[in-house]
Amino acid sequence: VSYCLTSFQLLNLFQYTNLEKNRNYILSTQDRLVGGFAKWPDSHPDALHAYFGICGLSLIGEAGICKVHPALNVSTRTSERLHHLHQMWKTRTLSSVQTTRTSLHD
């Protein structure tokens, strides 16, 4: 479900999904005894499907779950942090290149 929801969101087709049915399906794969989510209802949960189950719930706006950046499949908080780090590295690289050019001309 998470794969489909992500694709629909990236293609601007999210409004065509049935959020309640998707939510019900994700919750039907939850193992209430040991926790986590499975690929199918009445199957054993695993880490991959637990992660994607939570991502799917996030994409449909489930309360209490951090928002997910659909293209990166990470929380928006992580996405913002990665963007910040990228900007820092970009600035340092440009500064380093300019310093090198200046020292070569001296």
Side-chain angles (χ1 to χ4, degrees), residues 51 66-69 72-86:
Y51 179 76
C66 294
K67 291 192 180 287
V68 171
H69 187 291
L72 299 177
N73 200 19
V74 297
S75 69
T76 53
R77 179 179 171 205
T78 298
S79 171
E80 290 165 2
R81 177 68 177 147
L82 290 172
H83 178 73
H84 174 72
L85 288 172
H86 178 67

Side-chain angles (χ1 to χ4, degrees), residues 4-5 8-9 13-20 22 60:
C4 294
L5 292 173
F8 284 159
Q9 196 160 43
L13 299 171
F14 200 69
Q15 67 273 16
Y16 299 113
T17 62
N18 185 320
L19 301 182
E20 190 60 31
N22 283 306
I60 62 175

